[in-house]
Amino acid sequence: RQRVLLVDDEPDVLRGLCQILERADYEVLCANSLRTAVVTIRNEAFDLVLTDLYLGDTDLGVHIADVARQQRPNPPVIVLTGRPTFDGAQEALRSHVADMVVKPVEPQQLLATCRRVIQATELGRRNQELE
């Protein structure tokens, strides 16, 4: 089973997204803050990180991508946002986020994005090994 770290500061959203992923047979760990997510990602391996762009009043989920890039193997990060802005998208790109999904998200769209990002990451790793 592929492991996903799911980060959102809204309990209902976190619960709903967790159910979608678990029904698709992902092993899901949830975090409700940037601080908790950073500690978790430093201590455990994940195949994917899904995070809300805005965590609380001051934290940005894209900072998790910076921490994720330092891990080996480094999991791809998908950012979810209910408030898409140019600045948010720009910050996500700077942080090397794999994709950005606008909430509310359709379950099938979310799962398709997760599969695509995980497959692209695995393919990239295999290509690197071959080189």
Side-chain angles (χ1 to χ4, degrees):
R1 288 175 67 189
Q2 292 170 318
R3 298 187 82 218
V4 176
L5 175 60
L6 178 59
V7 188
D8 201 303
D9 60 331
E10 296 179 42
D12 291 341
V13 173
L14 195 62
R15 199 170 19 263
L17 292 172
C18 185
Q19 288 174 354
I20 291 167
L21 293 167
E22 286 177 339
R23 282 189 204 123
D25 205 35
Y26 288 100
E27 180 183 338
V28 184
L29 263 72
C30 296
N32 62 2
S33 70
L34 178 63
R35 178 177 290 136
T36 303
V38 167
V39 169
T40 303
I41 203 166
R42 286 186 174 147
N43 292 314
E44 300 191 43
F46 294 95
D47 297 294
L48 178 67
V49 176
L50 262 157
T51 181
D52 190 20
L53 178 59
Y54 300 102
L55 299 169
D57 294 332
T58 58
D59 292 331
L60 287 177
V62 293
H63 294 306
I64 295 168
D66 298 331
V67 176
R69 271 203 327 274
Q70 298 167 11
Q71 306 309 304
R72 294 293 173 252
N74 56 334
V77 177
I78 296 173
V79 170
L80 302 163
T81 183
R83 298 177 286 171
T85 64
F86 179 76
D87 290 340
Q90 209 172 21
E91 183 68 29
L93 288 172
R94 272 198 297 275
S95 296
H96 305 284
V97 167
D99 208 336
M100 193 169 202
V101 177
V102 177
K103 295 191 285 186
V105 62
E106 291 292 320
Q108 294 309 316
Q109 177 197 0
L110 177 65
L111 295 173
T113 302
C114 290
R115 280 191 298 272
R116 181 181 47 75
V117 167
I118 289 172
Q119 288 172 349
T121 300
E122 288 173 356
L123 184 60
R125 286 183 187 141
R126 285 191 200 122
N127 286 342
Q128 250 181 340
E129 289 171 9
L130 291 173
E131 290 174 2

